[in-house]
């Protein structure tokens, strides 16, 4: 990334504008073709370009400069006043793309258009900076990955512009909301801060807290706690002792038992009396 600083003077002050130029892509090999006029409305066709004999074999550099996308086609030539075999790069052709979403004439396809019969060739609009004339040239790549990277670089540039435009709209809306709030505040008077919510309990209000444990949640209120009986194991009042037994009832019960036993023994003696020896 390189940064160029330019300055423009006014009557009162001198302002500096910072221009940021960022390199997005560099490809070492690209074929340049002189292409005929488009024959049909379908688009350009690479088969009409005489692909076996390109006009030049160059390199390609894609830079973003502010809101513009610069596609530079660089070629090699012998370097003057240098040893034999020394070369230098020079600008062979250039396309400056300025996409604007609100203008149909500033779409990406106005500058770079893929051909209809191949994914590795494109028709690119170039402009002569001295005369202002525009013309189409054909560019192609030997490797399909290079063509894919070139196409994705342009798509990323368009997507970045959309994100920046959306961010700018949101920023403007934010500034307008601040101006609207300041206008409602009066002549520079500071608006009081909103009061804090009163979280204190009023008279007669109660707060209930649910505590979760192994036995589940249970709501405890003061009234319910007073009605609860002591749990097992707690120390309380002892039960009164049982009343003493009735002596006459016990004697009658014992006499009845003795009579029953005596009758049983006599009956057994009668049944076994015949077997006595």
């Amino acid at each position: 990334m390189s940064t160029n600083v330019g300055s423009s003077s006014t009557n009162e002050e001198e302002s500096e504008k910072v221009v940021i130029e960022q390199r997005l892509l560099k490809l070492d090999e690209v074929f340049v073709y002189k292409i005929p006029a488009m024959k049909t409305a379908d688009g350009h066709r690479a088969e009409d370009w005489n692909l076996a004999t390109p006009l030049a074999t160059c390199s390609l550099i894609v830079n973003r400069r502010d809101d513009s996308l610069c596609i530079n086609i660089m070629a090699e030539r012998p370097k003057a006043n240098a040893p034999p075999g020394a070369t230098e790069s020079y600008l062979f052709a250039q396309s400056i793309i300025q996409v604007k979403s609100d203008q149909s004439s500033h779409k990406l396809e106005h500058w770079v258009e893929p051909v209809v019969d191949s994914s590795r060739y494109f028709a690119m609009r170039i402009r002569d900076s001295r005369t202002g004339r525009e013309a189409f040239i054909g560019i192609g790549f030997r490797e399909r990955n290079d063509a894919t990277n070139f196409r994705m670089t342009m798509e990323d540039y368009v997507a970045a512009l959309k994100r920046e435009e959306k961010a700018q709209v949101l920023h403007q809306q934010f500034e307008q909301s601040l101006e609207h709030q300041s206008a409602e505040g009066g002549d520079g008077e500071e608006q009081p801060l909103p009061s804090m919510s009163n979280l204190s309990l009023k008279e007669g209000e109660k707060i209930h807290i649910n505590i979760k444990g192994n036995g589940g949640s249970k709501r405890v209120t003061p009234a319910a706690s007073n009605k609860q009986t002591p749990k097992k194991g707690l120390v309380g009042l002892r039960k009164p002792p049982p009343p003493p037994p009735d002596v006459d009832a016990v004697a009658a019960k014992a006499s009845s038992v003795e009579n029953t036993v005596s009758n049983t023994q006599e009956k057994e003696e009668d049944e076994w009396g015949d077997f006595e020896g």
Side-chain angles (χ1 to χ4, degrees):
M1 178 185 296
S2 60
T3 304
N4 299 328
V5 179
S7 61
S8 59
S9 60
T10 60
N11 295 331
E12 296 181 356
E13 61 182 3
E14 183 179 5
S15 60
E16 294 184 354
K17 181 181 179 181
V18 177
V19 179
I20 299 177
E21 183 171 345
Q22 180 183 10
R23 175 171 294 185
L24 304 179
L25 181 67
K26 184 179 185 303
L27 299 174
D28 295 331
E29 184 182 54
V30 59
F31 302 113
V32 182
Y33 300 92
K34 183 179 180 180
I35 62 177
M38 189 168 52
K39 296 181 180 180
T40 63
D42 295 338
H44 295 274
R45 303 184 69 88
E47 62 182 8
D48 301 331
W49 294 359
N50 193 10
L51 301 179
T53 56
L55 182 64
T57 301
C58 307
S59 61
L60 182 142
I61 298 176
V62 181
N63 296 330
R64 178 176 176 179
R65 183 179 175 87
D66 284 346
D67 293 337
S68 301
L69 191 70
C70 301
I71 302 176
N72 300 325
I73 305 296
M74 308 298 295
E76 298 286 337
R77 63 185 176 188
K79 187 175 182 179
N81 301 325
T87 60
E88 62 179 357
S89 299
Y90 70 98
L91 184 63
F92 182 82
Q94 185 183 57
S95 178
I96 300 178
I97 302 174
Q98 295 178 338
V99 173
K100 296 181 180 179
S101 58
D102 56 346
Q103 299 182 15
S104 58
S105 60
H106 286 69
K107 301 294 184 181
L108 180 62
E109 293 78 10
H110 178 74
W111 286 276
V112 180
E113 183 180 354
V115 299
V116 297
D117 58 344
S118 177
S119 62
R120 295 187 291 116
Y121 296 90
F122 303 84
M124 187 173 69
R125 186 189 297 268
I126 60 174
R127 184 177 184 273
D128 191 343
S129 59
R130 294 174 298 177
T131 62
R133 296 179 58 185
E134 293 183 348
F136 274 101
I137 62 172
I139 59 174
F141 303 93
R142 185 190 305 273
E143 300 294 337
R144 196 175 302 276
N145 289 338
D146 292 344
T148 301
N149 292 335
F150 176 67
R151 184 177 65 254
M152 293 183 63
T153 299
M154 294 185 295
E155 293 176 354
D156 290 344
Y157 157 72
V158 175
L161 288 181
K162 292 180 179 180
R163 290 194 300 268
E164 293 170 2
E165 290 177 358
K166 185 176 180 180
Q168 186 176 5
V169 171
L170 294 176
H171 181 69
Q172 291 176 356
Q173 293 177 354
F174 176 72
E175 290 183 345
Q176 291 175 0
S177 64
L178 292 179
E179 293 176 359
H180 182 69
Q181 292 178 1
S182 61
E184 291 181 350
D187 299 334
E189 296 181 358
E190 294 184 357
Q191 297 182 356
L193 295 175
S195 59
M196 298 292 292
S197 300
N198 188 7
L199 302 179
S200 61
L201 295 178
K202 297 180 181 180
E203 185 178 358
E205 289 185 344
K206 296 181 180 180
I207 185 171
H208 301 279
I209 301 176
N210 295 333
I211 301 177
K212 294 183 178 181
N214 296 331
S217 60
K218 185 176 181 181
R219 178 178 296 177
V220 180
T221 59
S225 62
N226 294 333
K227 296 180 181 180
Q228 289 180 353
T229 58
K231 296 183 179 180
K232 184 179 180 180
L234 297 179
V235 178
L237 297 177
R238 296 183 178 179
K239 294 182 179 180
D246 190 355
V247 178
D248 296 335
V250 172
K253 187 175 182 181
S255 176
S256 176
V257 172
E258 291 177 357
N259 294 334
T260 302
V261 173
S262 176
N263 293 334
T264 302
Q265 291 177 354
E266 291 177 357
K267 186 177 179 180
E268 290 179 354
E269 290 174 0
D270 293 338
E271 292 178 354
W272 295 94
D274 297 337
F275 293 95
E276 292 181 357

